[in-house]
Amino acid sequence: MEERYHPELVEPKWQAYWKENQLFKVSCDPSKEKYYLLEMFPYPSGKIHIGHVRNYTIGDVVVRYKRMQGFNVLHPMGWDAFGMPAENAAIDNNTHPAAWTYDNITAMREQLKKMGFSYDWDREIATCRPEYYKWEQWLFLKMLEKGMAYRKESYVNWCEKCNTVLANEQVEQDKCWRCSQTVQQKKLWQWFFKITDYAEDLLIHCDKLPGWPDKVTVMQKNWIGRSVGSELKFQIHGKEDDIVVFTTRPDTIFGATFMCLAPEHPLVETLSKGTDKENEVKAFVQKISSQERSAEGIEKYEKEGVFTGAYCINPATGEKIPVYTANFVLMEYGTGAIMSVPAGDQRDFEFARKYGLEIRIIVQPEEEEFDPNTMEQAYTGEGVMVNSGKFNGMDNKKAMDVMTDWLEKKGKGKKTVSYRLRDWGISRQRYWGAPIPVIHCPDCGVVPVPESDLPIKLPEDANLLEKGGSPLSNLDYFKKATCPSCGSEDAKRDTDTMDTFVESSWYYLRYCSPRYDKGMFDPEEVKYWAPVDQYIGGVEHAVLHLLYSRYFMRVLHTLGMIDFKEPFTRLLTQGMVCKETMTCPEHGFLYPEEAKKIEEGKFICTKCNNDVELGRVIKMSKSKKNVVDPNELLEKYGADVTRLFSLFAAPPERDLEWSEDGVEGSHRFVNRVWRLALECIGKIDNPQGFNGAASDLSSSQAKELYIKANHTIKKVTDDIDKSFHFNTAISAVMELVNGVYAIDIDSADAELKEVILFSLESILLLLSPILPHFCEELFEKLGKKGSILERPWPSYREDSLETDEVLVIVQVNGKLRSKFTIATDCDEAVLKETALADKKIIKHMGGKEPKKVIVIRKKQTLINIVV
């Protein structure tokens, strides 16, 4: 037999066996309890990276474990194939996004299969296929019909480099989430989904997701951003219209001496139009559109603004106050308009000082009086009301509700709740996405495409314009359309495409019935499989994909299509894979293979022999070149060793630090188990392992190993079930392997050999989800038929977790001097007698009589002899 494991022979053999016997194919079976595990599906970049390997290995181990426990397990795979990444990559590689995407899917599918992942490939989907996006177009029409989708002209986040709009959730620190270009504000007609209709429900249910990490639910709560306050109306001077503001400080309304609007506010253009301020306002709005527009970003700029030429009426004082547009007001907070109270808000205070606007004191401490002309900063604390009419002398906290009720009676205010969350803008001015299924008619306006015309197919033969511009608006055969309502031939299709997050917001339901052609999904299949029991992916999707998915399920629930609201019962956000950077003074960042190891901690550049500087351990990144190609690992070590290292190096929720030594260590362990198994197979003739109680065993060696094996089964089961801590589960198996290695099989009797065989079989069953090919091969060599995956998960015996002997620690005058084991049920007199008769104890007592013998009986028994 082979002395070492040969993955290049073993792994293809068992992958072929699994495929031939359709072991991963699954269907509804009401007689079995279902378990749906899903990892976030990948964008088809062309190569899987080590992060994919770790993510999918975590999922695959749980899937195999659950299958062996008797669950009917759904474990599908597909491709998040639309969107800017594929389009930009295709441009960079001078090819078409469709060709790029389909070629990459083929390549990545083969890579995943080589890793031995147990996917039901019959359920594979790609979101760029018309048979997939047909149904999100259908859902768009339903949402449009129900008022859940709408179109409006507004300022949007615009990435010049990506040449498209971004949703608020796709702007990270004022930069594009994809290319890190600074985002600008641009006015466009856009389609929106009314996610704000579900803001309260999404927020409430954040506390009803016990299987989700707290950090994710906290991020979603903060993004939804619920604030309790008052909505107040300031009538525009000379008009019937109002400027509506949201404030958490209605007690300060008497101190509102001017109004500030966000530059993106639609009233800014309206109010300044036709005034001598019109051009100045336009220039200011244009200037601000290129600045960072986030809560953090606006703090970088000096507060500035311009008068719009308009006034509004303070509903409390009846005074006419000027309306400004200012760079420190954000459209995404409240209504995009703030009543400016310079005495009570520092930003308003600085703005008022700069532009010579009135500062009026409205709240001050009871024993203190402020002078607006000399005060150096706004007062934001508690106090009593002043300059506030009939509310003077009232505690400002108590005044909040009283003043809101007063304004409500005047028809100028009401208590309300505001959210930071804004409706989801889904229009994208890019080519590679699902077309929006509406037609624009010069007579009828926006007209939905008839359902019978779906899918509106994206023309995959279109050539991209320079800089990635969408060709759809230039393709007459796509753009020209007949109005379904009036028959006009002057109608045009909408040439925007949907945000790629629309596709990923419901794909997990499509997996339940991927070939179903009568709707988004087969209701009976979804009723059996959904929701997803365990979802695995990165925390970076907390307020993008994960929030949108929760929203989509509420839409489907409202439409009566499903009976649940939450898509994922449990969520695991795995850590990143990290590695130190390597830098050459001449060639910059180096790939690992471009640095040659000279001695421990010292490397030289293979290009120029210069010393290489080892940098910090950071997330693997192509730009930093601190990446490891999984294909090289597969060629050198095989899939199972790669899987083992990715699980053993760190708990799944923690970052994993890449280590070549760690991979070598995993390789050595696999071969150690291989040699042990072959030795046992060659020397043990017993057809069956021992399966009784530990008390039935006669030898202490057999009993000790058997108890250790049962302990290991319990430990591994608990670690996978409760916390997915595969690293400690693997450590427990390693200890059991050491225990078997410590026995001389040649001198073992029949009883001990039965226990060794039980231990070996347990080792293989416990490792089989982690090392599937390896364990299949050894299980076959043990003479077992079929696949180890079809065997039940090993169970432990409660009566064999504890030995009937106890370890006794013996001290003399508080110092450890000896140890021995003795029957658990022996009495104290026997314990003392045995301790005093121990040769080591007699020596350390030096012939003296003991003054006292203290016995403490816990998990371990302690005897302290005082002489």
Side-chain angles (χ1 to χ4, degrees):
M1 290 187 179
E2 293 288 346
E3 286 300 310
R4 66 182 184 87
Y5 174 57
H6 287 278
E8 71 277 10
L9 302 176
V10 173
E11 292 177 355
K13 166 188 170 180
W14 287 103
Q15 287 165 16
Y17 177 89
W18 297 331
K19 181 179 179 181
E20 182 182 344
N21 290 275
Q22 296 187 319
L23 285 192
F24 308 145
K25 188 175 176 62
V26 67
S27 59
C28 279
D29 185 351
S31 67
K32 281 186 170 185
E33 186 177 354
K34 69 92 180 180
Y35 188 82
Y36 184 1
L37 183 140
L38 187 63
E39 306 96 1
M40 293 181 184
F41 63 169
Y43 143 64
S45 61
K47 284 185 178 181
I48 61 170
H49 53 68
I50 204 69
H52 287 134
V53 170
R54 188 188 191 199
N55 190 10
Y56 302 149
T57 299
I58 291 167
D60 196 55
V61 170
V62 178
V63 163
R64 290 173 177 271
Y65 166 72
K66 288 292 185 180
R67 276 201 58 169
M68 294 173 76
Q69 285 191 317
F71 287 87
N72 191 26
V73 183
L74 177 59
H75 188 211
M77 175 50 71
W79 313 98
D80 191 9
F82 265 150
M84 288 187 290
E87 194 170 319
N88 290 340
I91 293 167
D92 292 341
N93 289 274
N94 196 29
T95 186
H96 193 278
W100 170 263
T101 299
Y102 295 132
D103 287 349
N104 288 349
I105 286 174
T106 300
M108 290 179 72
R109 185 191 302 116
E110 290 309 304
Q111 288 177 304
L112 293 176
K113 286 182 177 180
K114 286 181 180 178
M115 286 300 303
F117 297 136
S118 56
Y119 296 123
D120 181 353
W121 285 104
D122 288 348
R123 294 176 181 266
E124 180 184 11
I125 60 173
T127 59
C128 61
R129 297 284 190 187
E131 59 269 25
Y132 180 86
Y133 63 76
K134 168 185 179 177
W135 297 109
E136 70 188 50
Q137 291 177 336
W138 176 87
L139 182 62
F140 179 97
L141 296 179
K142 293 299 175 188
M143 292 173 72
L144 187 60
E145 178 186 318
K146 299 289 184 181
M148 297 175 170
Y150 64 93
R151 187 172 183 258
K152 71 173 183 179
E153 187 180 28
S154 68
Y155 280 95
V156 291
N157 304 306
W158 178 263
C159 177
E160 191 65 34
K161 184 174 181 181
C162 292
N163 201 33
T164 193
V165 165
L166 303 173
N168 286 343
E169 294 82 355
Q170 293 166 329
V171 180
E172 298 175 350
Q173 296 180 331
D174 295 297
K175 290 180 171 53
C176 172
W177 72 300
R178 278 294 183 194
C179 71
S180 297
Q181 180 96 351
T182 298
V183 171
Q184 298 179 345
Q185 296 297 302
K186 190 172 184 177
K187 200 169 187 180
L188 292 172
W189 281 94
Q190 297 285 291
W191 284 100
F192 292 86
F193 284 161
K194 292 185 72 175
I195 189 173
T196 51
D197 283 354
Y198 297 93
E200 185 70 14
D201 196 54
L202 287 166
L203 184 67
I204 289 171
H205 280 79
C206 281
D207 292 325
K208 299 179 181 180
L209 296 169
W212 283 43
D214 288 342
K215 62 183 176 183
V216 175
T217 54
V218 167
M219 288 168 75
Q220 290 208 359
K221 285 179 183 179
N222 291 340
W223 189 259
I224 294 167
R226 187 179 193 269
S227 296
V228 178
S230 301
E231 184 179 275
L232 308 178
K233 296 178 181 178
F234 289 67
Q235 185 177 345
I236 300 170
H237 179 62
K239 297 185 179 181
E240 295 297 319
D241 300 324
D242 295 319
I243 298 175
V244 179
V245 304
F246 171 81
T247 179
T248 58
R249 293 291 308 274
D251 56 309
T252 64
I253 189 170
F254 280 87
T257 56
F258 59 99
M259 173 75 65
C260 281
L261 305 178
E264 302 86 5
H265 198 293
L267 281 176
V268 170
E269 182 180 350
T270 303
L271 294 177
S272 62
K273 194 168 185 178
T275 72
D276 58 358
K277 298 293 181 179
E278 181 175 4
N279 291 335
E280 187 180 357
V281 169
K282 280 183 179 179
F284 178 77
V285 170
Q286 181 62 34
K287 172 186 173 182
I288 302 304
S289 71
S290 61
Q291 292 182 359
E292 296 182 25
R293 300 292 291 151
S294 68
E296 300 79 17
I298 59 174
E299 296 302 324
K300 300 176 184 178
Y301 302 98
E302 181 183 353
K303 292 162 186 62
E304 60 178 331
V306 296
F307 177 45
T308 62
Y311 295 85
C312 63
I313 307 301
N314 183 320
T317 65
E319 296 171 325
K320 186 172 74 169
I321 62 175
V323 180
Y324 281 75
T325 178
N327 66 343
F328 63 89
V329 186
L330 295 172
M331 196 64 207
E332 65 186 80
Y333 288 98
T335 64
I338 61 170
M339 61 175 203
S340 293
V341 183
D345 181 276
Q346 186 60 28
R347 292 176 305 175
D348 295 344
F349 180 86
E350 293 172 14
F351 192 87
R353 282 279 189 255
K354 181 172 182 176
Y355 292 100
L357 299 166
E358 181 187 357
I359 297 175
R360 181 182 300 159
I361 309 299
I362 26 74
V363 178
Q364 62 188 14
E366 194 165 359
E367 303 301 324
E368 193 173 350
E369 188 173 330
F370 294 137
D371 181 350
N373 296 314
T374 60
M375 66 190 302
E376 296 180 354
Q377 62 183 20
Y379 177 69
T380 58
E382 297 179 15
V384 294
M385 307 292 297
V386 294
N387 299 319
S388 299
K390 66 179 182 178
F391 303 103
N392 283 343
M394 186 179 290
D395 178 87
N396 78 298
K397 287 291 183 184
K398 293 179 181 177
M400 289 186 182
D401 287 342
V402 176
M403 292 176 73
T404 302
D405 291 340
W406 173 64
L407 288 166
E408 187 166 7
K409 288 177 183 176
K410 295 176 64 175
K412 294 296 182 180
K414 64 179 181 179
K415 294 173 185 175
T416 191
V417 174
S418 179
Y419 299 92
R420 178 190 178 201
L421 183 69
R422 290 293 179 262
D423 284 339
W424 176 12
I426 64 150
S427 297
R428 297 295 176 267
Q429 293 66 44
R430 296 297 291 247
Y431 159 71
W432 191 236
I436 294 174
V438 298
I439 288 171
H440 299 276
C441 174
D443 299 318
C444 305
V446 175
V447 182
V449 167
E451 287 183 24
S452 58
D453 288 355
L454 299 180
I456 303 303
K457 292 184 179 181
L458 182 74
E460 293 191 1
D461 57 348
N463 293 319
L464 293 179
L465 303 181
E466 190 178 350
K467 294 185 178 179
S470 173
L472 297 181
S473 59
N474 295 337
L475 296 177
D476 285 346
Y477 69 88
F478 176 81
K479 184 175 69 173
K480 286 186 175 180
T482 299
C483 176
S485 180
C486 70
S488 169
E489 295 186 358
D490 293 329
K492 296 178 182 178
R493 290 195 189 284
D494 199 307
T495 56
D496 284 350
T497 54
M498 291 193 223
D499 182 5
T500 185
F501 280 100
V502 176
E503 281 88 62
S504 61
S505 292
W506 69 281
Y507 77 105
Y508 40 89
L509 296 186
R510 187 64 182 172
Y511 279 139
C512 298
S513 50
R515 309 296 169 247
Y516 189 66
D517 62 1
K518 295 180 176 62
M520 292 178 74
F521 46 78
D522 184 333
E524 291 304 311
E525 294 280 333
V526 165
K527 194 170 183 178
Y528 177 74
W529 288 115
V532 174
D533 295 285
Q534 181 66 61
Y535 201 37
I536 302 173
V539 72
E540 66 271 16
H541 297 291
V543 293
L544 285 162
H545 163 60
L546 292 172
L547 184 62
Y548 293 152
S549 295
R550 296 183 63 216
Y551 161 62
F552 250 54
M553 293 308 97
R554 282 158 172 76
V555 169
L556 296 178
H557 184 268
T558 300
L559 295 175
M561 297 173 66
I562 57 175
D563 60 2
F564 57 92
K565 290 183 177 181
E566 295 297 341
F568 316 117
T569 304
R570 294 182 66 190
L571 172 69
L572 171 66
T573 53
Q574 86 284 354
M576 298 179 293
V577 182
C578 305
K579 192 180 186 305
E580 78 278 358
T581 57
M582 294 181 167
T583 311
C584 168
E586 184 176 342
H587 295 99
F589 287 116
L590 300 177
Y591 288 108
E593 62 271 18
E594 294 174 336
K596 182 180 178 182
K597 188 174 182 179
I598 302 301
E599 57 186 67
E600 192 61 37
K602 186 173 182 181
F603 295 79
I604 61 170
C605 176
T606 57
K607 300 176 182 178
C608 63
N609 290 329
N610 275 322
D611 287 343
V612 169
E613 179 184 348
L614 296 181
R616 291 185 302 112
V617 175
I618 59 174
K619 177 186 176 182
M620 285 190 178
S621 160
K622 288 180 181 177
S623 63
K624 300 291 191 297
K625 298 187 178 181
N626 61 333
V627 292
V628 176
D629 185 355
N631 286 331
E632 294 179 8
L633 294 174
L634 287 173
E635 289 178 14
K636 187 174 180 180
Y637 298 105
D640 281 354
V641 170
T642 304
R643 290 167 62 115
L644 178 64
F645 171 74
S646 69
L647 296 173
F648 184 54
E653 73 277 6
R654 301 282 296 276
D655 289 349
L656 181 155
E657 184 177 340
W658 179 260
S659 164
E660 190 70 32
D661 291 341
V663 183
E664 282 290 347
S666 297
H667 178 64
R668 287 194 299 273
F669 171 69
V670 164
N671 280 287
R672 192 162 187 259
V673 177
W674 181 266
R675 291 190 298 272
L676 175 65
L678 294 188
E679 182 183 6
C680 292
I681 292 167
K683 295 180 179 179
I684 298 176
D685 298 326
N686 309 46
Q688 296 293 330
F690 182 76
N691 62 0
S695 58
D696 297 335
L697 294 166
S698 57
S699 82
S700 60
Q701 193 176 28
K703 192 178 294 185
E704 182 182 348
L705 180 61
Y706 189 64
I707 289 171
K708 190 173 189 65
N710 276 276
H711 264 296
T712 304
I713 294 169
K714 184 177 187 303
K715 170 70 172 168
V716 173
T717 303
D718 288 347
D719 283 349
I720 296 178
D721 252 348
K722 296 175 182 177
S723 59
F724 294 170
H725 280 188
F726 310 111
N727 57 323
T728 53
I730 294 166
S731 291
V733 177
M734 288 177 170
E735 289 179 18
L736 180 56
V737 170
N738 291 339
V740 178
Y741 254 112
I743 296 171
D744 181 2
I745 299 177
D746 291 324
S747 60
D749 59 16
E751 179 188 70
L752 182 53
K753 285 183 177 179
E754 285 186 10
V755 173
I756 292 172
L757 187 59
F758 169 80
S759 301
L760 177 61
E761 289 183 4
S762 298
I763 288 167
L764 296 179
L765 287 165
L766 295 173
L767 287 177
S768 64
I770 299 164
L771 307 170
H773 314 85
F774 174 86
C775 293
E776 290 274 26
E777 185 70 10
L778 288 179
F779 216 63
E780 183 183 64
K781 290 183 184 298
L782 275 172
K784 309 295 182 180
K785 303 296 183 184
S787 170
I788 196 171
L789 182 60
E790 297 177 298
R791 296 293 175 124
W793 184 254
S795 57
Y796 57 88
R797 293 183 63 113
E798 291 283 355
D799 61 7
S800 300
L801 291 175
E802 293 185 7
T803 178
D804 54 6
E805 292 183 334
V806 66
L807 178 66
V808 181
I809 308 294
V810 187
Q811 297 176 337
V812 176
N813 291 335
K815 292 185 177 180
L816 175 63
R817 296 305 185 189
S818 187
K819 298 177 184 178
F820 61 84
T821 56
I822 199 167
T824 305
D825 57 358
C826 74
D827 61 29
E828 192 168 301
V830 174
L831 273 172
K832 291 179 179 180
E833 183 182 331
T834 306
L836 292 170
D838 186 285
K839 291 180 181 179
K840 293 179 182 177
I841 298 302
I842 293 171
K843 176 184 175 183
H844 285 288
M845 287 176 63
K848 297 177 183 178
E849 287 296 316
K851 295 177 181 179
K852 193 185 296 183
V853 180
I854 303 166
V855 178
I856 301 172
R857 304 186 83 156
K858 290 187 176 178
K859 284 187 177 180
Q860 292 180 338
T861 297
L862 174 67
I863 299 177
N864 187 23
I865 301 169
V866 182
V867 295

